[in-house]
């Protein structure tokens, strides 16, 4: 697209037709060029089985086109109509405790249900056939937030599908017994019919079974997406297809999903009361860019101000919506969209902010900010298609995440997202951009690879990281990595077996720290810090000690190490360092590895570059409530308002943003 996409979810079916003209008029005023249409319209589009009614949708598609607004058209399959579950109650999902979830909200379907899948495929086919040639059609929006409410279903239909999936993966029942280690607790299966999803059990179900069920569940929802994608692809091969992601959403392996999307899109609902909200949405943006392998992505949903689904829904501060929108663009988005265009009058989301509030519209602060942003984004055409370059990568593997957080571990306080944040935070604070990557990816383009808690690793992932370091790469591995193989069986041979030679150490034992317990850490240069959560007995076999624990059973034992391996370096962090110590450590490693910040800026100012070859665009985002002076070394043009920018100190107001085309 030659312009930054701007708009939101549009639900005209919730409004009388007379509102539609006003909608189009207001959209034009706000600079809207794309709306996501018909996401929850199945019950209107197919009011009874096999009877379709597209008249109203035809009308609004035409109106939008006449108004110069393109459509990200949904397949409308996110919420099946009541007639479907009424006629086929077996298509409803069942929870781990055997409770059936009824219609009356949304997403009430079992992902494996043939009834749901056929109904969804038929509707996608109808939509594709009807709108293939419609000039407003710009993109397909399959379903909506797959797995958001029902990522797992434990019904009998799912049980059958799970067994089929397992046969495909493991082959014979004996292979399954081996893979799941069923000699433990007398779990040996003698035939496939005995195998179930991990329904509620007296205590922990088999961890390998749970892990396979998570893989299966992600794959089942992906199959639902694929069924619709194929229907669309066949009829509209040139129309890009997306489905909206939900940041770091644990149940779906987004690496697999993103490979099947033309455009990655994401929904981000920061909590304005979270002091680290800005960091968290930057991290989500970096993930989306990485999932799309660097391609521009779309911020598909955010709110103009409040959501309605937290206990207390704090409003965004004036300017914060605009700031976080620019942040998405800075991190590689070529589209900024909202849930939703017009605030609903009825239903469960009527207190959720929108671009057009209940009224009065013109004097409303959210409308004014949305309109200002839409007008400003028109000046950002030069940004479209440019890329964000990162010299550092953070490894994230969904299967490892799932396995890490299964119960019965040395400490269940070790959580994947928090660990990722511990590594991301110092980079964000220093304006160093990182991509996310899978362990088995080609990492050779990065100067530094951070690996927080890669608990599960297969041969391919371990070999890839080892080859990377041998070839001159720098890696930082966090504690409790390399523990299990893809079956969730321990890698024997001394922890962390797959990485022990590379790291030049062995772990003799883990000593998790009690809640609230802290230890001191002393760095080789005498600097001191603190740590919590985890400690362990590290036995170096070639690694150099960069920091040691002080106190407790690990007194004077290594806490952080470095090992020269091949032409590279492998660092190991055997605890959770306090934020300052972690920043000191990682920023020293960054400097040694030649990973540089986009800009030295005052604290609270985010600086990121997008570029085409040597032509660059600098984004400055002030997350503070006060004006800041940012030292610039180059002159340029601020695309937000067209003003000239000179080298030297540049002022950015509270929650302000500048997009500076540097020297061209
Ligand atoms: C998203 C969803 C939207 C809307 C929004 C409210 O999860 O895709 O349909 O419900 O949340 O924040």
């Amino acid at each position: 697209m030659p312009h930054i996409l701007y708009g939101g979810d549009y639900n005209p079916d919730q409004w009388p037709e007379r509102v539609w003209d006003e909608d189009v008029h207001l959209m034009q005023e706000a600079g809207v060029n794309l709306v996501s249409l018909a996401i929850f319209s199945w019950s209107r589009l197919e009011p009874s089985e096999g009877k379709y009614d597209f008249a109203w949708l035809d009308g609004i598609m035409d109106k939008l086109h006449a108004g110069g607004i393109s459509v990200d058209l949904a397949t409308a399959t996110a919420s099946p109509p009541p007639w479907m579950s009424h006629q086929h109650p077996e298509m409803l999902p069942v929870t781990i405790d055997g409770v059936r979830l009824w219609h009356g909200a949304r997403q009430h379907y079992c992902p494996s249900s043939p009834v749901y899948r056929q109904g969804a495929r038929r509707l996608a086919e109808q939509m594709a056939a009807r709108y293939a040639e419609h000039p407003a059609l710009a993109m397909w929006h399959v379903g909506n937030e797959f797995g958001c409410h029902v990522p797992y279903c434990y019904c009998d239909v799912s049980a059958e599908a799970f067994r089929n999936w397992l046969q495909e993966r493991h082959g014979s029942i004996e292979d399954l017994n081996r893979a799941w280690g069923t000699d433990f607790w007398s779990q040996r299966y003698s035939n496939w019919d005995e195998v179930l999803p991990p329904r509620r059990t007296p205590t922990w179900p088999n961890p390998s079974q749970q892990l396979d069920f998570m893989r299966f569940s992600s794959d089942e929802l992906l199959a639902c997406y694929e069924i619709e994608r194929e229907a669309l692809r066949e009829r509209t091969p040139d129309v890009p297809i997306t489905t909206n992601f939900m940041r770091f959403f644990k149940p779906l392996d987004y690496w697999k999903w993103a490979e099947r999307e033309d455009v990655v899109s994401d929904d981000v609902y920061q909590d304005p009361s979270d002091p680290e909200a800005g960091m968290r949405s930057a991290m989500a943006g970096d993930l989306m860019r990485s999932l799309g392998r660097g391609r521009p992505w779309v911020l598909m949903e955010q709110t103009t101000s409040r959501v309605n689904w937290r206990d207390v829904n704090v409003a965004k501060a004036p300017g914060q919506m605009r700031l976080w929108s620019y942040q998405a663009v800075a991190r590689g988005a070529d589209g900024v969209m909202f849930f939703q265009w017009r605030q609903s009058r009825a239903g469960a989301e009527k207190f959720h902010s929108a671009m057009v509030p209940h009224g009065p519209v013109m004097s409303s602060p959210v409308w004014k900010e949305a309109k200002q942003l839409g007008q400003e984004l028109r000046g950002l055409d030069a940004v479209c298609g440019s890329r964000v370059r990162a010299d550092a990568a953070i490894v994230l593997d969904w299967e490892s995440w799932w396995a890490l957080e299964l119960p019965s571990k040395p400490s269940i306080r070790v959580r994947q997202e928090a660990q990722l944040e511990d590594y991301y935070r110092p980079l964000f604070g220093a304006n160093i951009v990182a991509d996310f990557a899978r362990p088995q990816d080609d990492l050779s383009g990065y100067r530094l690879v951070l690996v927080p808690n890669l608990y599960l690793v297969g041969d391919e992932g371990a070999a890839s990281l080892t080859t990377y370091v041998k070839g001159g790469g720098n890696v930082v591995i966090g504690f409790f990595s390399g523990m299990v193989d893809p079956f969730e069986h321990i890698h024997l041979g001394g922890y962390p077996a797959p990485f022990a030679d590379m790291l030049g150490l062995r772990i003799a034992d883990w000593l998790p720290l009690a809640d609230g317990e802290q230890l001191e850490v002393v760095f080789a240069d005498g600097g001191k810090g603190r740590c919590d959560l985890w400690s362990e007995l590290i036995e170096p076999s070639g690694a150099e000690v960069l920091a040691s624990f002080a106190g407790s059973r690990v007194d004077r034992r290594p806490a952080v190490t470095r090992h020269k391996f091949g032409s590279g370096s492998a660092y190991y962090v055997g605890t959770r360092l306090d934020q300052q110590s972690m920043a000191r450590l990682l920023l020293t490693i960054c400097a040694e590895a030649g990973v540089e910040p986009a800009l030295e800026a005052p604290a609270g100012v985010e600086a990121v570059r997008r570029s085409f070859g040597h032509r660059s665009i600098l984004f400055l985002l002030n997350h503070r409530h006060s004006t800041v002076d940012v030292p610039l070394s180059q002159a340029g043009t601020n695309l937000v308002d067209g003003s000239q920018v000179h080298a030297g100190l540049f002022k950015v107001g509270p929650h302000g943003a500048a997009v500076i085309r540097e020297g061209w």
Side-chain angles (χ1 to χ4, degrees):
M1 289 292 230
H3 311 293
I4 299 285
L5 303 173
Y6 190 63
D9 281 21
Y10 181 36
N11 298 301
D13 35 340
Q14 293 176 12
W15 294 94
E17 272 198 58
R18 67 190 137 76
V19 180
W20 300 359
D21 289 318
E22 185 193 328
D23 279 335
V24 173
H25 172 73
L26 287 175
M27 284 175 191
Q28 289 167 332
E29 202 176 317
V32 166
N33 54 24
L34 185 77
V35 291
S36 302
L37 190 62
I39 294 181
F40 295 104
S41 302
W42 194 343
S43 61
R44 251 184 192 271
L45 292 172
E46 192 183 356
S48 61
E49 189 163 4
K51 300 263 177 303
Y52 296 95
D53 172 12
F54 292 108
W56 67 273
L57 189 54
D58 293 349
I60 190 67
M61 287 286 286
D62 294 348
K63 260 193 213 306
L64 288 165
H65 176 63
I69 293 150
S70 299
V71 175
D72 165 40
L73 188 58
T75 51
T77 54
S79 190
W83 58 255
M84 182 179 280
S85 33
H86 185 67
Q87 285 168 34
H88 309 278
E90 78 284 1
M91 59 77 62
L92 290 166
V94 170
T95 66
I96 191 168
D97 290 303
V99 176
R100 197 166 281 281
L101 302 176
W102 297 92
H103 63 246
R106 64 175 174 186
Q107 220 179 76
H108 47 279
Y109 61 85
C110 157
S112 305
S113 161
V115 173
Y116 170 74
R117 287 182 176 193
Q118 279 158 23
R121 182 179 44 76
R122 277 196 306 264
L123 183 55
E125 284 168 359
Q126 292 279 336
M127 296 290 272
R130 185 144 195 117
Y131 298 107
E133 304 301 327
H134 199 287
L137 176 66
M139 181 154 71
W140 287 114
H141 185 294
V142 176
N144 189 63
E145 292 191 340
F146 276 96
C148 168
H149 307 298
V150 186
Y152 310 112
C153 176
Y154 298 82
C155 75
D156 290 342
V157 175
S158 297
E160 188 57 38
F162 185 40
R163 285 190 280 271
N164 293 337
W165 184 93
L166 289 168
Q167 287 188 30
E168 187 90 347
R169 180 176 173 82
H170 296 286
S172 72
I173 195 77
E174 203 35 52
D175 290 329
L176 180 84
N177 279 315
R178 238 191 323 274
W180 285 10
T182 53
D183 283 314
F184 180 82
W185 283 355
S186 177
Q187 293 168 356
R188 174 164 280 279
Y189 295 99
S190 39
N191 78 62
W192 285 103
D193 293 343
E194 299 160 7
V195 179
L196 292 172
R199 291 176 177 160
R200 183 71 70 206
T201 42
T203 181
W204 309 299
N206 182 308
S208 310
Q209 175 194 12
Q210 291 187 68
L211 182 58
D212 267 350
F213 187 66
M214 288 166 127
R215 292 182 174 116
F216 158 80
S217 300
S218 174
D219 284 359
E220 284 299 273
L221 280 166
L222 184 56
C224 293
Y225 166 80
E226 287 277 273
I227 287 167
E228 295 190 34
R229 186 175 80 128
E230 275 161 29
L232 302 172
R233 185 61 87 226
E234 207 182 301
R235 288 158 189 84
T236 56
D238 301 326
V239 179
I241 299 175
T242 191
T243 184
N244 44 345
F245 289 166
M246 291 163 282
R247 296 183 354 112
F248 290 80
F249 183 64
K250 183 177 165 188
L252 302 187
D253 182 347
Y254 279 159
W255 289 117
K256 268 189 166 181
W257 281 69
E259 281 170 3
R260 292 156 171 92
E261 283 188 310
D262 300 310
V263 179
V264 170
S265 63
D266 195 31
D267 299 350
V268 180
Y269 290 98
Q270 303 96 332
D271 183 351
S273 71
D274 169 9
E276 292 202 299
M279 175 197 84
R280 301 207 156 95
S281 44
M283 188 164 142
D286 289 342
L287 176 66
M288 292 306 137
R289 181 185 67 248
S290 309
L291 289 170
R293 301 300 181 184
R295 296 194 312 271
W297 55 282
V298 173
L299 174 61
M300 186 60 85
E301 288 183 25
Q302 60 172 335
T303 182
T304 48
S305 181
R306 268 175 295 100
V307 294
N308 62 303
W309 39 261
R310 294 194 174 98
D311 287 357
V312 177
N313 297 294
V314 172
K316 288 181 179 171
Q320 211 163 35
M321 175 281 277
R322 175 175 170 271
L323 174 70
W324 285 340
S325 301
Y326 278 111
Q327 183 191 47
V329 180
R331 303 265 158 193
D334 274 6
V336 172
M337 313 271 293
F338 295 88
F339 176 84
Q340 62 175 326
W341 165 251
R342 188 182 277 279
Q343 189 166 357
S344 301
R345 190 169 175 210
E349 295 183 321
K350 54 186 169 296
F351 293 109
H352 193 293
S353 307
M355 297 171 85
V356 179
H358 290 142
V361 177
M362 294 304 150
S363 58
S364 126
V366 293
W367 166 253
K368 286 186 191 161
E369 199 171 317
K371 184 172 147 183
Q372 181 195 341
L373 177 63
Q375 288 170 351
E376 287 173 2
L377 290 177
R378 288 175 172 166
L380 262 66
D381 289 359
V383 171
C384 294
S386 60
R387 300 294 176 109
V388 178
R389 221 185 81 86
D391 286 331
I394 301 178
V395 165
L396 167 60
D397 181 76
W398 257 264
E399 296 199 358
S400 178
W401 181 358
W402 296 335
L404 175 73
E405 295 185 2
L406 289 171
S408 71
K409 292 283 170 24
S411 167
I412 61 158
R413 301 279 181 266
V414 181
R415 311 302 289 176
Q416 187 70 75
E417 222 180 314
Q419 294 303 313
L420 288 169
E421 286 177 1
D422 283 351
Y423 282 75
Y424 187 86
R425 183 177 292 111
L427 304 192
F428 177 74
N431 288 318
I432 291 172
V433 178
D435 284 342
F436 285 87
R438 282 200 269 209
Q440 65 269 32
D441 287 344
D442 174 7
L443 302 167
S444 58
Y446 296 109
R447 293 172 185 270
L448 176 64
V449 173
L450 307 176
V451 188
N453 307 79
L454 186 65
Y455 165 77
L456 176 153
V457 71
D459 294 344
E460 202 192 344
S464 159
L465 285 162
T466 310
T467 308
Y468 167 70
V469 178
K470 260 197 192 140
N474 301 286
V475 82
V476 183
I477 300 210
F479 63 89
F480 212 45
S481 291
M483 285 302 128
V484 298
D485 66 16
F487 298 123
E488 231 268 339
H489 296 194
I490 296 287
H491 281 296
L492 296 177
Y495 315 128
F499 301 132
D501 290 345
M502 175 173 84
L503 292 168
L505 52 74
R506 290 269 186 289
I507 313 297
D509 206 357
W510 310 293
L511 306 168
L513 299 178
D515 290 341
E517 186 180 1
Q518 289 196 345
L519 296 179
E520 205 174 54
V521 186
V522 183
F523 285 83
D525 65 1
K528 288 186 176 161
R530 303 199 70 78
C531 67
D532 67 355
L533 187 70
W534 191 269
S535 71
E536 52 187 24
L537 294 171
I538 299 174
E539 291 177 347
S541 53
E544 162 198 359
V545 179
L546 299 185
S548 305
F549 292 108
S552 177
R553 272 181 64 189
V554 281
D555 194 32
R556 284 179 290 176
R557 303 286 302 241
V560 181
T561 62
R562 172 175 55 195
H563 186 227
K564 298 271 178 210
F565 183 73
S567 336
S569 296
Y571 295 78
Y572 183 71
V573 185
T575 184
R576 178 166 74 184
L577 294 170
D578 68 83
Q579 291 187 10
Q580 255 186 328
S581 305
M582 190 64 169
R584 197 163 77 107
L585 175 70
L586 290 190
L587 297 181
T588 307
I589 297 174
C590 280
E592 283 170 11
V595 177
E596 288 176 0
L599 192 87
E600 302 280 351
V605 176
E606 183 181 343
V608 192
R609 279 201 178 77
R610 288 184 64 165
S611 54
F612 298 96
H614 295 295
R615 294 194 298 182
S616 60
I617 299 167
L618 173 69
F619 286 74
L620 292 177
L621 308 160
N622 180 9
H623 291 273
R624 289 166 38 166
H625 300 278
S626 52
T627 300
V628 286
D629 287 316
V630 184
L632 298 181
S633 57
Q634 274 196 71
T637 308
N638 184 359
L639 300 176
V640 171
D641 57 11
S643 62
Q644 290 308 301
V645 174
H646 306 287
L649 287 183
F650 177 75
K651 279 202 187 315
V652 191
H655 290 138
V659 181
I660 302 170
R661 201 173 59 196
E662 295 179 303
W664 56 283

